[in-house]
Amino acid sequence: MKKITYMLLAAIFLLTALPMHATEAAGSHKIILSGEKRFEKSAQTEPGKSLRIESKNTNITIIGSSQNKIEARAQVEISDADDELVKEFFENTQLLLEEGADGFVLKVDTPRDKLRGSDKGLSRLLRLIFDGTTHISISINLHVTVPEKYSISVSNKYGDLSIENVAGTFAITNDAGATNISKAGGQLALRGSYGEIVVTDFAGDIKLHNRNGVIYANNIGGNADVVTSYKRVRLNNINGNLLLDASNGHVKASQIAGDCEVSSSYKEVEISDVKGELVLRAPNGKIFVENVGKNATIENSYKPIRIENVQGALEIRASNSEIYAKKIAKNASVRSSYKSVQIFDVNGDLLVDGSNCPVELADISGSVEIISSYKPLIINNVGGFLDIRGSNNQITASEIAGGGTIRSSYKSIDLTNIGGPLEIDGSNCAVRVDGAAGDVLIRSSYKFIELLRTEGSITVHGNNSRVEITSIRALPATANIEIITTYKSLLLELPSNANALIHARTTYGKIKTPHKLSILDGDGKEVEIKLGNGSAPITLKSNNDIVIN
Amino acid sequence: MQAFENLYRAYEQQLLSTAHRMLGNTQDAEDAVQLAFLKLYRNIGKFKFKSKISTYLFRILLNVCFDQMKKKKQKITYQQQPVPMSYSEKPDLKLHLEKAIAALPEKMQACFVLFAIQDLKQEEISQILDMKIGTVKAHIFAAKAKLRATFFESLPGETV
Amino acid sequence: MKDKNSRKHPEAWADRFKQLRADNSSEIARDEFILDLAKSLQEKEKAPLLWAKIENNLREEKQSKAVTFFRPHLLLRVAAVFILVIGTGVLWQKFSAPQISNSRILSKNTLQKVISTEKSYEAAIAELEKLASPKIEKMELELMFLYRDKLAIIDEQIEQCREELSENPGNAHIRRYMLAALQDKKETLQEIVQNAI
């Protein structure tokens, strides 16, 4: 019966009071009184011991001092509509500093839980209607000084934490609050969520794990192990190894004394001045890397990669990424697709596996292997051998010391100053070689084949290709020239001092030469010419005209 | 849904083949792949970009396979068909190899299947199975030794 | 030495096996034989109906789960209806990061402003969710996972703040984190809608 009366009263009251307090009942809260009280505690201790703080809704400041004691000051602020409750709250609140087997424990003990349930029945309902809550609002400030060498353990939520000038072992959990640790040392394990973490001037190893918050670390004396997601990470001057997992965070790391392993995605990653090895995985994020002391391995997709000055080997595994690499001290291997690949100054061998990539390379001291298709390839100054496995590439290469094998189709191949043997398999490619120190073998069709300034044997099989070989720089006694084409004319210009025995045959054309010739058949379609001692055999065959100068 | 279909189309063969080698028959393999996709869908929030999506999917698939193998207790239930003899009574070497692989301990079996049959790199296998690369190498080494012994020492010589 | 032809002809496998055995060959040669034979097991698996089955499964799962992903909390919906019915005097507040003073417990007036701003964010988020939901479904798989994970983390933060505020309504720190989370969610949804990350 009593219950029904209360409910009826409450209902009537609710109906009349609701319009007046509509906005408050929708979620706002009526905070009328507020109060503040200060507490202090201290205890003698000695360096090397530990303090544990258990708290919530507390802003904590911990500072190391030269004194051998713990001093704690708490400032508790509450707010509520009920002045009796405020009074009762403070009467029952105390600051506890207790020493146990594991060290000191510090906490602010409040009667919150007890008072929270103090309102009963109708008064609770009325408070809920008028104030929007039966709960009091509270916030605590805690200021603690400890000896400079002390271990700290904190478990806090919804408050900021600051630690300064303390060296020891730190085990910190601070959720939904900013954490700032500076001028400290030892071992730090810090776990947070959502709040910003800032660690500066820490002499020791750090482990930072932030669920979804910004991380800054500067001047760290040891290794850094950092995990966060979606937010910025800035790390500078890490005197050990860096292991960073920043899922979808914008990363900037510099001056890493040890090895560096970083993973992120979709956001930009900038790494500079790593003395050790670098392993970077950042799919879909722009990558900038500068100055790596050892090997560098990079994985990416879709976004550009720019890397300069690697003292070790470089490996890039990318797809659809534009790549620019410069100054690589050892071998380099680059895989990408569709976007441009530019690599300069490699002191070793280079492999470019770039399906559909335009490629530009220069100053490679070792050999170069390129696998690509459809897009132009420009190569300059290779110390070793050049191996191109392409199709439909326009190829321009110059100053290739070790020679090369080149396979392509349909587009032009233009080579200058090839220092070693050269083999070109270019179906439907126009070929021009200007300067070849070794033997040359060319197979192509339909397009013009032009060779200048060769120094060794020459073999050209050009189906339907016009062939011109001029300005031969030297024709060694042991050289062998064989030029066979069909339907198109053939021109061979020999040096004036050449020693060669030329055998030329045409099916439908004419053989023109200023040299003395011997006709081998009745109508002059097959002739022989002997120049000097005739040591180098030369075979020329075409359906069309053959000109020998 | 399109993204899931693309993923399925890209790895269909490898997934089915891996599950087949692990579980020994096509029906269980299809069930495992189906369940793996469902689990992937349910756990998309847990994917953390430490590896490729395909690696994550393979890990789920292998865990599904391990679960099924445990449920069956008996590690593999190869259909009890007689070993076909052909080519002048020579043994069917492929079938013998399948059986020998099926008899390997499950982690070793997974390492060997991914390495030797699916042609994955050891680094990738270590990510899929969440084990150190050294452990992967050790498993593959041990698997080869076991298979060598099974093949070259246990198969009856006179039938060859 | 890998003999590709032997992969095609079972008889060749047997011959090679016989030879290796007769020669008392090295472990390496025997390993190579086993690895080659193992590669030949990579046969094409055919499961023509499998994708249809998987798709069915996923659609069922989606119907039961995906809807809840973007559905505002029941209390929020009730609150929204309540506001619409009685809140004729409530003015739309402009979206801007609210300034919360440094005092640790908010005054009544400030608190009302903050709560009102929270509601503005929630309304904007509800609208954005409607637009973002179809976009996220069409995203590349990895990006979709990423956004869903990010939104799940933010939702968790919002839920935790909400729970904490129900017990400590005037605490400025929690209100600040609540607003930060709402703002983060709004910006993330805007990013999804604009499809620019």
Side-chain angles (χ1 to χ4, degrees), chain A residues 199-226:
Chain A
V199 181
T200 48
D201 303 319
F202 190 92
D205 293 345
I206 59 168
K207 276 189 180 183
L208 311 178
H209 190 147
N210 204 357
R211 184 115 193 265
N212 182 18
V214 173
I215 292 180
Y216 294 99
N218 189 26
N219 299 338
I220 306 302
N223 298 322
D225 183 347
V226 178

Side-chain angles (χ1 to χ4, degrees), chain A residues 197-315:
Chain A
I197 290 176
V198 180
V199 181
T200 48
D201 303 319
F202 190 92
D205 293 345
I206 59 168
K207 276 189 180 183
L208 311 178
H209 190 147
N210 204 357
R211 184 115 193 265
N212 182 18
V214 173
I215 292 180
Y216 294 99
N218 189 26
N219 299 338
I220 306 302
N223 298 322
D225 183 347
V226 178
V227 179
T228 187
S229 56
Y230 306 112
K231 293 284 166 28
R232 287 190 308 282
V233 181
R234 298 281 180 273
L235 306 169
N236 180 52
N237 196 15
I238 310 293
N239 201 22
N241 297 328
L242 169 64
L243 181 60
L244 167 61
D245 179 359
S247 155
N248 202 236
H250 183 294
V251 173
K252 202 168 182 176
S254 52
Q255 296 186 53
I256 314 299
D259 293 338
C260 181
E261 189 174 339
V262 174
S263 55
S264 184
S265 62
Y266 290 95
K267 291 281 164 70
E268 198 170 297
V269 176
E270 287 178 64
I271 312 267
S272 60
D273 303 312
V274 177
K275 287 207 173 124
E277 201 162 313
L278 170 70
V279 177
L280 170 56
R281 287 181 210 94
N284 257 302
K286 273 187 194 173
I287 291 175
F288 298 93
V289 176
E290 203 175 43
N291 304 335
V292 179
K294 291 182 180 170
N295 296 344
T297 306
I298 296 174
E299 285 179 33
N300 187 322
S301 51
Y302 299 103
K303 291 290 161 65
I305 299 169
R306 190 182 176 96
I307 181 164
E308 277 191 49
N309 195 17
V310 177
Q311 295 302 312
L314 169 68
E315 184 177 0

Side-chain angles (χ1 to χ4, degrees), chain A residues 56 112 137-138 176 230-231, chain C residues 149 164 167-168 170-171 173:
Chain A
K56 199 173 165 186
R112 255 187 112 200
S137 293
I138 180 170
Y230 306 112
K231 293 284 166 28
Chain C
D149 183 54
E164 197 61 27
E167 293 177 0
N168 197 355
N171 185 295
H173 185 98

